[in-house]
Amino acid sequence: MKSRMDMINGSLGDKIIKYALPLAVTGVLQQLFNAADLAVVGQFSGKEAMAAVGSNAPVIGLLVNLFVGISLGSNVIIARSIGQKDHKSISKAVHTSIIVALLGGVLLAVLGEFLAPEIVKMLDVPEDVYPMAVKYMRIYLAGMPVILLYNFEAAIFRSCGNTQMPLVALVISGILNVVLNLFLVLGLGMDVDGVATATVISNVFSSAILFAALMKTQLAIRVDPKKLRVHGDVLGEILKIGVPAGIQGMIFSFANIIIQSAVNSLGTTVMAASSAAYNLEIFSYYIMNSFGQACTTFVGQNYGAGKCDRCRKVLKLCLLQSIVSTAAVSGLILLFSQSLLGIFNSDPDVIAAGRIRLEYIFFAYMFSFAQEGLSGYLRGFGVSFIPAACAVIGICGVRLVWIFTVFRQIPSFATIMQVYPLSLGITTAVILAVTLLVKPSKRYHIQSETPQ
């Protein structure tokens, strides 16, 4: 089978880097484009509009994370089928994934239309912000079909080793998003409806670009509109892998909301410092996460091809490259942290508190790179529930207990930050033990979650 990247033969190290780098850049650009939305509305529509956009982030994150996790299931099933050179299964998984994205998006759009007012009320949004928050949520959720479609299409391309095409589509749509933000908000005088509309339109373009590319490609992932339908057997496999990952992402979002509430309780200076540091540390995270995703795809293809020894080599290389890359970027951020934090706020107290967060988070990344890599390794075999359960209990569970017990006794910013290395260290130890127990055979049984 013709492939953009041959993952099951030849060298691995250079291919993993070639796969992971565009993935990391994609994550960083998504973060920058999201920040542009907030910046435009904050500068030209006022703090109430900015608060309305920001207040929606936790709920939207919960919903998107669920389906991004499910798209990971598509990635694994398609990658494994590519390794097996099973063209029929590839086609069924691709066309099922497209329909799942569209139907899931329509469902969220309809629910958002009716439930947006109640959801915003649950967020305790101030009365002067409430109308704009509801308006933003309704418009944003109306675009869910194309937002989810882009994520599933990107997963399809990544399953065969092509991480460049999703990046190209994101760059084009991201630039369009910024231009539309300025035109709709500054030119036409719109507020939150302008940035929400710009986001939806830009996602229409990104999903359309990838859909056109999928229709034109000569690879086995080619989309034929006449074949678009749900195949029950493939859907079951996608959900078996994707739903645990999606639920894990949703619970992470919930735990982060609780942690953010604890940060907010310490005052404006700490809130500003935490926000500034987050916008720096996220660069290191996306690099680390890209190698975890690379591990999933490379292991999926090689496991499908029955090359289990090669799967273990993939894990070792991904872990090595992840720690070197993440440590290099994190080290540079720490080295220039005072200047970088000063970009967001020049207050010495904000910079000092931001430095505290960066030090704890980057220390925690010593465990996080292993947790990401090992989770990706297991998911490549189709083992999704176990790493998700470990992460939910070890990371989310420990963090929630810590905030409601230790933080209440010692309410300081350092106390909050200490939970990151603690929770990640515990989770990494558990996932490592599970990984050592997994003994995949050279034969893959599609009906089994656990490698035989």
Side-chain angles (χ1 to χ4, degrees):
M1 181 186 71
K2 182 182 177 182
S3 176
R4 290 294 296 269
M5 181 183 290
D6 187 355
M7 298 183 179
I8 60 178
N9 297 294
S11 62
L12 283 169
D14 58 327
K15 294 175 183 176
I16 291 173
I17 293 176
K18 184 179 179 182
Y19 182 97
L21 183 58
L23 208 53
V25 174
T26 299
V28 170
L29 287 178
Q30 283 180 322
Q31 183 68 25
L32 292 176
F33 290 139
N34 289 339
D37 285 358
L38 204 60
V40 169
V41 78
Q43 289 292 326
F44 302 111
S45 297
K47 62 182 181 181
E48 291 82 9
M50 186 177 179
V53 174
S55 66
N56 277 278
V59 174
I60 291 172
L62 284 172
L63 298 175
V64 173
N65 281 340
L66 172 61
F67 283 91
V68 168
I70 294 175
S71 73
L72 180 61
S74 298
N75 180 302
V76 172
I77 296 302
I78 297 170
R80 183 178 296 146
S81 298
I82 290 173
Q84 295 174 312
K85 299 182 180 180
D86 185 347
H87 290 216
K88 183 177 180 181
S89 294
I90 296 170
S91 179
K92 289 168 65 175
V94 166
H95 291 91
T96 297
S97 297
I98 298 294
I99 295 297
V100 168
L102 292 173
L103 291 180
V106 170
L107 176 62
L108 291 181
V110 173
L111 290 176
E113 180 66 26
F114 291 102
L115 299 180
E118 297 303 319
I119 294 174
V120 174
K121 284 181 182 179
M122 292 171 60
L123 296 173
D124 292 326
V125 173
E127 291 185 7
D128 58 336
V129 176
Y130 176 81
M132 286 189 288
V134 172
K135 179 167 60 174
Y136 180 85
M137 180 172 287
R138 278 178 165 160
I139 296 174
Y140 193 101
L141 292 182
M144 275 297 174
V146 289
I147 292 172
L148 297 186
L149 181 59
Y150 168 81
N151 282 287
F152 275 80
E153 290 169 334
I156 292 169
F157 274 106
R158 290 165 185 159
S159 68
C160 67
N162 187 343
T163 53
Q164 292 84 16
M165 192 63 214
L167 174 58
V168 170
L170 177 68
V171 170
I172 295 172
S173 66
I175 294 173
L176 176 63
N177 186 27
V178 173
V179 172
L180 287 174
N181 278 338
L182 294 171
F183 174 71
L184 296 175
V185 176
L186 187 59
L188 300 185
M190 299 172 72
D191 46 57
V192 297
D193 52 344
V195 293
T197 301
T199 298
V200 173
I201 293 175
S202 63
N203 275 280
V204 169
F205 273 81
S206 61
S207 59
I209 290 170
L210 292 189
F211 192 82
L214 284 171
M215 289 180 62
K216 293 179 180 179
T217 183
Q218 297 303 310
L219 303 177
I221 59 171
R222 183 173 183 173
V223 168
D224 181 350
K226 296 179 182 178
K227 296 181 180 180
L228 287 173
R229 63 178 179 274
V230 174
H231 297 272
D233 55 336
V234 175
L235 176 62
E237 291 299 316
I238 290 173
L239 295 179
K240 187 184 295 183
I241 298 169
V243 169
I247 293 176
Q248 175 185 335
M250 292 178 69
I251 295 176
F252 269 144
S253 296
F254 175 73
N256 287 337
I257 291 172
I258 301 299
I259 290 178
Q260 185 60 47
S261 297
V263 170
N264 293 348
S265 71
L266 298 177
T268 305
T269 297
V270 172
M271 290 173 64
S274 183
S275 177
Y278 172 80
N279 280 280
L280 295 177
E281 74 200 34
I282 198 69
F283 289 92
S284 291
Y285 171 76
Y286 280 126
I287 292 173
M288 179 171 52
N289 179 258
S290 69
F291 284 101
Q293 292 191 50
C295 192
T296 295
T297 305
F298 275 78
V299 168
Q301 283 205 22
N302 282 281
Y303 185 42
K307 298 185 176 183
C308 296
D309 289 341
R310 195 172 168 87
C311 292
R312 287 184 282 272
K313 186 176 180 181
V314 166
L315 174 61
K316 293 176 183 177
L317 286 170
C318 284
L319 291 178
L320 177 61
Q321 293 177 352
S322 176
I323 191 171
V324 171
S325 303
T326 305
V329 174
S330 300
L332 287 172
I333 292 174
L334 277 178
L335 182 62
F336 298 102
S337 60
Q338 184 168 346
S339 299
L340 293 172
L341 289 167
I343 294 173
F344 298 93
N345 194 299
S346 59
D347 186 330
D349 292 333
V350 171
I351 293 174
R355 172 82 185 194
I356 290 174
R357 175 173 178 121
L358 289 176
E359 289 174 349
Y360 275 106
I361 293 297
F362 288 151
F363 175 65
Y365 281 177
M366 290 175 56
F367 306 105
S368 191
F369 85 89
Q371 184 262 329
E372 291 280 346
L374 294 171
S375 295
Y377 177 71
L378 291 173
R379 290 190 180 112
F381 294 128
V383 182
S384 184
F385 176 78
I386 293 175
C390 291
V392 167
I393 297 171
I395 296 179
C396 300
V398 170
R399 290 177 185 178
L400 293 178
V401 170
W402 184 271
I403 293 299
F404 288 116
T405 56
V406 178
F407 175 71
R408 287 189 175 182
Q409 298 299 317
I410 311 174
S412 71
F413 191 40
T415 301
I416 298 174
M417 292 298 103
Q418 287 164 6
V419 76
Y420 283 94
L422 175 65
S423 59
L424 284 165
I426 292 172
T427 305
T428 299
V430 174
I431 292 182
L432 177 59
V434 171
T435 304
L436 293 174
L437 294 175
V438 173
K439 302 295 183 182
S441 69
K442 292 185 178 180
R443 185 179 179 185
Y444 164 65
H445 299 278
I446 196 167
Q447 296 299 326
S448 176
E449 154 95 355
T450 307
Q452 302 296 313

